[in-house]
Amino acid sequence: MSTPTREPYRPVYHFTPPANWLNDPNGMVYFQGEYHLFYQYHPGSTLWGPMHWGHAVTTDLVHWRHLPVALYPDELGAIFSGSAVIDWHNTAGFGPETMVAIYTHDIPNAQDQCLATSHDAGRTWEKYAYNPVVLNTIPLRDFRDPKVFWYASNPDVDPAAGHWVLLLVAGDVVLFYTSPDLKQWTQSGSFGAGAGAKGGVWETPELLHLAVDGGAERRWLLVVAVGDGAIAGGSGVQYFVGDFDGHVFTSDNPNDTVLWADYGADFYAPQAWNDPPDDRRIWLAWMSNWAYARETPTTAFRGAMTIPREVALTRTPAGIRLVQRPVVELAMLRSASWRLAPGNIAPPAPGEPSPEQTDRRYPEALECKVTFQCAAAITAQRCGIRFCYAEGVYLEAGIDLARGALFVDRTQVWEVPEHPTLAVVQTAPLASAGDMHHLHIFLDRSSVEVFAGGGQVVITDQIFPRSDDRAPDVTVQLFADGEGVRLVEGVIYALEPAAG
Ligand code: FRU
């Protein structure tokens, strides 16, 4: 991936298209050593328009190679979101190991599900002659975003015995279908009437079978993007934990339980790679929000993906919850590193800003790990780390000790004037009220991703530190608004461009 450095908000190590508009990740599948990333793409503009599937691959989850556009709109419509599978057992008769994309065809008043096939590892594609394969039979325009995977009824005995599962969203519920051959689909159930957050239309469902705390117990994670009314305003992603019997999902929780995958404003439509080469399930998401996605101040491109994250489940007193961790491969990008001096964090004198940890300037693409410890007798209510770009232009990530929450304050690094209400301080409840708080932060030129609580809470945000006359680097301050907070450990890594 070549990174045009003249664009001030072009990420250094996050995936972006060479130019123009990007939204959801699509067709995520691992095949013959390559992780494929297709994505909603408008090659003609930095605004959303007739959707294509852009295409890129990575062999290490870090360095990306751009490939030509994979799917173009045709007489059936534009190519909306969907997934891809490898038909290992040639169930469809397209030939062994065919890569099959299953996507939504969109025309102004209809959405149906269609197939395309590739025999050369996703480089060239042919649309199936008998599309669509799932016709919209209900009078709802919103009927889209098929996620398909192979459900092996007894994977340890015979991985080839089973059927295909397709889930899609219809309005604000998820519909399930099964098929022996990817071509003929029978509806097998639905989930979501009256359940979860309903502030907008549901989009881009995902369903994963995950181990709980790395042990033998496994539960199913159903993930649904919701177009509006999400936790940080605008669009966001909720999840459900439960069971899936090959036909329909049932939740472990009552209908009014609402669980958020990310408490920031810019995490949408996550999709995990099918057929991963190891036992990790890894996803990434579109790092934007439909409320303002069209108005962000980037120039040649608009839209980026999050870093790839490993997803898992953990048991908590409140129930089983999603955990996300940055993939370990990202450590490949580290170059220089700096240790922050441990010690008590002095509260500022009245009217004074916190002292800078050092007068060093750090590159604006960095990874940072900090651990704060709280004394038994503590007067501080907030502590954290502040990345300063210029006078009055800073980003804060920290712990709201009074509320037991992670927070990110992007109000001073926001440049989307039409949406002032979305530049609020975001908070995410931390389950454990222990005295140690670890933050793992990935900062890039126009985004921040903060992981806390062992990955149980994440805040992902776009940021737009003013681009005029600022130096492309940051200073760092540690802060606490009272006594009793100590930095136990802190390290900052410069991250290299993810050039292919
Ligand atoms: C989600 C979404 C999908 C749709 C696609 C269109 O962000 O709205 O529901 O398929 O984007 O680009």
Side-chain angles (χ1 to χ4, degrees), residues 250-295:
T250 46
S251 176
D252 288 347
N253 295 306
N255 274 353
D256 60 0
T257 303
V258 177
L259 302 171
W260 297 103
D262 194 295
Y263 287 82
D266 294 294
F267 181 86
Y268 204 66
Q271 191 177 120
W273 274 288
N274 276 332
D275 293 340
D278 48 42
D279 53 14
R280 295 178 299 169
R281 296 311 304 264
I282 295 167
W283 73 15
L284 47 69
W286 176 39
M287 200 155 45
S288 196
N289 186 316
W290 278 116
Y292 49 71
R294 302 162 187 85
E295 292 153 69

Side-chain angles (χ1 to χ4, degrees), residues 407-495:
F407 74 87
V408 168
D409 180 349
R410 68 165 175 180
T411 57
Q412 308 309 312
V413 279
W414 186 246
E415 207 196 333
V416 189
E418 296 307 308
H419 298 277
T421 55
L422 285 149
V424 292
V425 180
Q426 294 143 354
T427 57
L430 288 164
S432 129
D435 65 341
M436 293 284 225
H437 295 286
H438 307 278
L439 302 185
H440 194 178
I441 303 170
F442 283 82
L443 187 69
D444 205 336
R445 285 182 175 162
S446 51
S447 64
V448 64
E449 292 161 273
V450 184
F451 299 78
Q456 276 185 55
V457 295
V458 189
I459 293 183
T460 303
D461 274 327
Q462 292 186 85
I463 57 169
F464 301 105
R466 275 194 300 271
S467 54
D468 47 328
D469 76 358
R470 74 180 166 85
D473 53 18
V474 295
T475 57
V476 167
Q477 297 170 354
L478 297 167
F479 65 89
D481 63 359
E483 302 287 348
V485 179
R486 185 180 153 73
L487 179 77
V488 180
E489 205 173 5
V491 59
I492 293 179
Y493 301 98
L495 296 186

Side-chain angles (χ1 to χ4, degrees), residues 23-24 40 48 51 80-81 144-145 203-204 268-269 286 290:
N23 57 290
D24 314 351
Q40 288 289 277
W48 189 88
M51 282 291 107
F80 271 21
S81 285
R144 60 173 175 269
D145 304 344
E203 298 186 309
T204 60
Y268 204 66
W286 176 39
W290 278 116

Side-chain angles (χ1 to χ4, degrees), residues 110-113 132-143 168 170 175 177 185-187:
Q111 295 184 330
D112 301 305
Q113 321 315 317
V133 293
V134 182
L135 256 181
N136 185 349
T137 50
I138 50 179
L140 260 186
R141 176 180 143 64
D142 297 306
F143 184 80
L168 53 74
L175 302 185
Y177 297 78
W185 293 95
T186 310
Q187 195 186 328

